[in-house]
Each structure stands twice: as C-alpha cells, then as structure tokens.
C-alpha cells in the first residue's frame, strides 16, 4: 500500500490553463505539506496544513491554492499556469506538527507548462 | 536564517568503495540535521537525523553521519556502496521554531560497477 500518493504523476499543459494535483496519505497523519522542486533540484516548502488548518504559506503566488477536505487529503490547485510553474511538486505528511516528526514524501508530480 | 551547502553536485564511486557526502550548515545555535535520499522517480526518504546527543548517528541502509559543530558539518558516510545506492542525496537543516527544514541542492551519487 502506498503511504503518500499523488495524482497525476505527469502533467503537461499549456500556459493559462488551470490544473489540480491531488494528494492522499493513508498513514493517519495530522500534518501535510506541498513542496516544489525546481530544475536545479532545490526543494522549497510551499504550504503546510495541520489538522486541515493552514499553518505555513510561503511566498507563493495567489494562483496556487491548497485545499484540505480532510486530514488525509491535501490538493493543490493552480490557476493561470505559467512557464515558471514547471517543476516537480511533492506532497508529504508527518504524524504531527513537530520538528521531530519524520516527513513521508509522495512520488512527485512532474508538471510541464508549454 | 539557517542555510545548508552541499558542495558536490555529483559524486562517482565504484561499487564496494567507501562514500562520504559533504554537508555544511549555517546557523548560530545547534541545528537539527537530516539526510534524505531520492531514488529516480521517487519521493524523498529519510535516511537519518540528528537533534542532540551522540554526534555519530546511524541511519537506514547502512548509512551514518557525524555532526561536527566546530566545522559546521554533517557529512554522510557509508563504508561500502552498492549499485542500488545510486540516487540523489539531500542534506537539510532546521532551526529554532521552524519545523520546516531548509534543503540543500542535493548531491547526485553515481555508482560504477
């Protein structure tokens, strides 16, 4: 059983479109995250939710909107896609909102904007 | 704010050889430190972490890392590399009230047979 799953794995779309990436974790964790990994492999936190409440919102354009319908899901919706949004997006989860709590990562969604 | 540097973009070793991946951090107090591995097409997996106590930390898959405060380093080691260790390795540092670590740019490990 996959602990943290993301769909789709690959997403190719044109500039200006709106797309969503879904994330689900079956670990019973309270905290979920979205990271962006750029072409140089730098990994940066975008959002974090704890018990469905937004607790971290880094300097991310308003075109990105996370939604957590329940503790097991954290989806990422992106409006008006731009070329610079091309990256690999990782979802992760941890047992709780604590620095000692190991993060479990999903396999990533490779987004290509043309 | 904390930062982390992985000076080597690529490292090539022969199978069976020893490995050391370098990581240097910048932070005024004692940080908490992590090493993650990312296999091709996969998400990141935690290898080991250091918060306090013994400065030599054992992790999964036969890896270990040593925290050296005087050198601001947290280098990852493995005595004998296997072909399946070929992957991207990320060092990360967390500090203070932040529960989100800052990641380095990664070191790509290539293993020759």
């Amino acid at each position: 059983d996959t602990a943290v799953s993301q769909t789709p794995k690959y997403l190719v779309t044109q500039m200006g479109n709106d797309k969503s990436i879904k994330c689900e974790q079956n670990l019973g964790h309270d905290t979920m995250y979205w990271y962006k990994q750029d072409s140089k492999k730098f990994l940066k936190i975008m959002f974090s939710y704890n018990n469905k409440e937004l607790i971290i919102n880094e300097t991310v354009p308003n075109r990105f909107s996370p939604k957590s319908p329940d503790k097991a899901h954290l989806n990422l919706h992106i409006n008006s896609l731009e070329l610079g949004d091309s990256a690999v997006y990782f979802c992760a989860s941890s047992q709780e909102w604590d620095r000692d709590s190991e993060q479990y990562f999903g396999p990533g969604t490779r987004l290509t904007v043309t | 704010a904390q930062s982390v540097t992985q000076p080597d973009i690529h490292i090539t070793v022969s199978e069976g050889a020893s490995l050391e991946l370098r990581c240097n951090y910048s932070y005024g107090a004692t940080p908490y430190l992590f090493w993650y591995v990312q296999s091709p097409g996969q998400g990141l997996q935690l290898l080991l972490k250091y918060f306090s106590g013994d400065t030599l930390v054992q992790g999964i898959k036969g890896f270990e890392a040593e925290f050296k405060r005087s050198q601001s380093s947290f280098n990852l080691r493995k005595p004998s590399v296997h072909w399946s260790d070929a992957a991207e390795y990320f060092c990360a540092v967390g500090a203070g009230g932040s529960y989100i670590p800052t990641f380095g740019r990664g070191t790509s490990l290539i293993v020759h047979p």
Side-chain angles (χ1 to χ4, degrees):
Chain A
D1 285 342
T2 304
V4 182
S5 59
Q6 297 178 227
T7 53
K9 192 169 176 68
Y10 299 96
L11 184 54
V12 181
T13 189
Q14 292 183 326
M15 285 175 55
N17 285 348
D18 303 338
K19 290 293 178 186
S20 292
I21 306 172
K22 295 187 176 181
C23 177
E24 177 181 2
Q25 54 95 2
N26 62 7
L27 299 167
H29 287 171
D30 287 342
T31 310
M32 296 185 74
Y33 313 81
W34 276 111
Y35 286 87
K36 178 181 180 180
Q37 186 178 46
D38 64 22
S39 58
K40 296 185 178 177
K41 299 283 180 76
F42 280 107
L43 196 66
K44 291 197 70 174
I45 185 72
M46 299 174 69
F47 302 103
S48 180
Y49 271 73
N50 187 51
N51 285 316
K52 301 197 309 174
E53 183 179 333
L54 181 66
I55 50 174
I56 283 185
N57 183 353
E58 292 294 305
T59 49
V60 176
N62 291 337
R63 300 181 294 102
F64 289 79
S65 54
K67 292 239 177 359
S68 182
D70 54 59
K71 285 199 318 183
H73 296 84
L74 180 62
N75 304 323
L76 183 65
H77 188 76
I78 315 169
N79 289 327
S80 304
L81 278 154
E82 300 177 357
L83 292 176
D85 298 332
S86 296
V88 181
Y89 292 84
F90 287 100
C91 177
S93 73
S94 62
Q95 181 68 52
E96 55 191 353
W97 177 241
D98 190 297
R99 65 170 66 95
D100 197 30
S101 196
E102 177 180 349
Q103 293 188 29
Y104 292 78
F105 284 77
T109 295
R110 182 174 294 276
L111 171 64
T112 303
V113 183
T114 62
Chain B
Q2 69 271 21
S3 66
V4 59
T5 302
Q6 292 180 250
D8 303 306
I9 298 176
H10 303 283
I11 291 276
T12 301
V13 298
S14 298
E15 191 168 14
S18 63
L19 170 70
E20 182 168 33
L21 301 182
R22 296 184 290 166
C23 173
N24 293 96
Y25 68 89
S26 174
Y27 182 62
T30 301
Y32 43 104
L33 298 155
F34 308 84
W35 273 101
Y36 284 85
V37 60
Q38 182 182 18
S39 297
Q42 303 294 317
L44 280 70
Q45 181 184 20
L46 182 68
L47 285 175
L48 47 80
K49 61 186 178 185
Y50 172 79
F51 279 34
S52 63
D54 193 345
T55 56
L56 185 61
V57 182
Q58 300 298 320
I60 62 171
K61 305 186 182 199
F63 286 92
E64 66 177 25
E66 186 170 12
F67 170 58
K68 292 186 177 180
R69 184 189 303 276
S70 61
Q71 298 176 20
S72 298
S73 68
F74 189 57
N75 294 347
L76 182 72
R77 300 193 295 247
K78 187 169 185 179
S80 178
V81 170
H82 188 261
W83 63 266
S84 61
D85 293 324
E88 195 81 23
Y89 290 81
F90 292 90
C91 181
V93 58
S98 171
Y99 290 175
I100 303 295
T102 298
F103 286 83
R105 67 176 176 182
T107 297
S108 179
L109 175 64
I110 301 163
V111 180
H112 281 314

